[in-house]
Amino acid sequence: MAVYLLQLAAWVAFMAVLILWPAGTLAYPGAWVLIALFGLGGLVMILWLGKHSPALLRERMSSPMQREQKPWDRVWLGLFVIAFLAWLVVMSWDAARTGFIAMPVWLQAVGGSGIVLYMLGAMWTFRENAFAAPVVKIQAGQRVIDSGPYAIVRHPMYASALLLLAGIPLLLGSWIGLVLSVVLMLGIAWRAVHEERTLTEELQGYRDYAARVRYRLVPYVW
């Protein structure tokens, strides 16, 4: 558990540097709120999974590059992480350029709420699916999950991530970041489609599940 907490602390500290350094100031309320949300949310996840699903916690905190992972997913994940980190830097620079006042406070509050909803959606997903690994692979004993959020959309973790990707630029106060978030969202949609090919081919019962639950990320849309 201590190792996971150190990993979380290192990630939060790294994210703080990526956001505060380009801003050129510590007087950036949106950044501090985001850092606090990620720190507190990560702490809750580690403690909850450590108690209820230690195996899933190990998966979530393991390396993003794994031997069993599909080769195309290694490439995708590497590019996505780089893009995400660069996105944080751009948003910080953009917010500082506009004096941190480009986004009205009420929209920043909406962004913060979206991040909280993402975290709640992720926890709901973890509660239902002990196989929710961060990489695309088929695990020993894995089965189709069709309860909880999986009865609504086929990829509830990705659906929740859409709220995160919209919420971060709103909270940080960056219109440029909000536009760029569309690129990241499309990247997640691309991964969902390709992950489904793996699941359909290698996970028994997934084809029937996909026929029952029609929507991938957004109900009644896609």
Side-chain angles (χ1 to χ4, degrees), residues 11-82:
W11 161 244
V12 172
F14 179 58
M15 188 174 68
V17 171
L18 282 180
I19 299 173
L20 294 172
W21 174 62
T25 179
L26 297 179
Y28 188 176
W32 287 111
V33 172
L34 179 63
I35 293 165
L37 285 174
F38 268 86
L40 181 59
L43 178 61
V44 170
M45 185 200 77
I46 289 172
L47 295 178
W48 187 84
L49 285 178
K51 180 178 180 180
H52 296 282
S53 187
L56 179 55
L57 176 60
R58 286 193 297 272
E59 280 288 348
R60 298 302 305 182
M61 301 298 288
S62 62
S63 169
M65 302 298 167
Q66 302 179 21
R67 184 176 60 183
E68 304 89 350
Q69 184 179 8
K70 297 299 179 182
W72 63 263
D73 191 53
R74 291 196 195 102
V75 176
W76 181 93
L77 195 53
L79 293 175
F80 188 85
V81 169
I82 292 170

Side-chain angles (χ1 to χ4, degrees), residues 169-191:
L170 292 177
L171 179 57
L172 291 181
S174 172
W175 290 107
I176 291 177
L178 188 61
V179 172
L180 292 176
S181 70
V182 175
V183 178
L184 297 179
M185 291 178 185
L186 290 174
I188 285 180
W190 186 92
R191 191 194 201 196

Side-chain angles (χ1 to χ4, degrees), residues 19-20 36 43-44 50 53 55 74 76 96 111 113 118 134 142 145 154 158 165 170-171 195 198 206 218:
I19 299 173
L20 294 172
L43 178 61
V44 170
S53 187
R74 291 196 195 102
W76 181 93
S113 299
Y118 152 74
Q142 184 171 349
I145 306 296
R154 301 201 293 266
Y158 295 159
L165 294 176
L170 292 177
L171 179 57
E195 182 175 348
T198 297
Y206 191 84
V218 183

Side-chain angles (χ1 to χ4, degrees), residues 5 41 77 100 102 119 159 179 203 221-222:
L5 294 175
L77 195 53
F100 306 108
M119 294 176 177
V179 172
L203 185 61
V221 177
W222 187 74

Side-chain angles (χ1 to χ4, degrees), residues 68-113:
E68 304 89 350
Q69 184 179 8
K70 297 299 179 182
W72 63 263
D73 191 53
R74 291 196 195 102
V75 176
W76 181 93
L77 195 53
L79 293 175
F80 188 85
V81 169
I82 292 170
F84 183 85
L85 298 178
W87 181 57
L88 291 178
V89 172
V90 169
M91 286 187 288
S92 176
W93 167 83
D94 182 44
R97 179 181 61 85
T98 57
F100 306 108
I101 58 173
M103 197 77 67
V105 174
W106 70 268
L107 266 182
Q108 290 184 286
V110 169
S113 299

Side-chain angles (χ1 to χ4, degrees), residues 55-56 58-60 66 68 129-143 195 199 202-203:
L56 179 55
R58 286 193 297 272
E59 280 288 348
R60 298 302 305 182
Q66 302 179 21
E68 304 89 350
N129 185 8
F131 302 99
V135 303
V136 176
K137 64 179 182 178
I138 301 300
Q139 303 171 60
Q142 184 171 349
R143 60 182 179 82
E195 182 175 348
L199 294 171
E202 301 182 22
L203 185 61

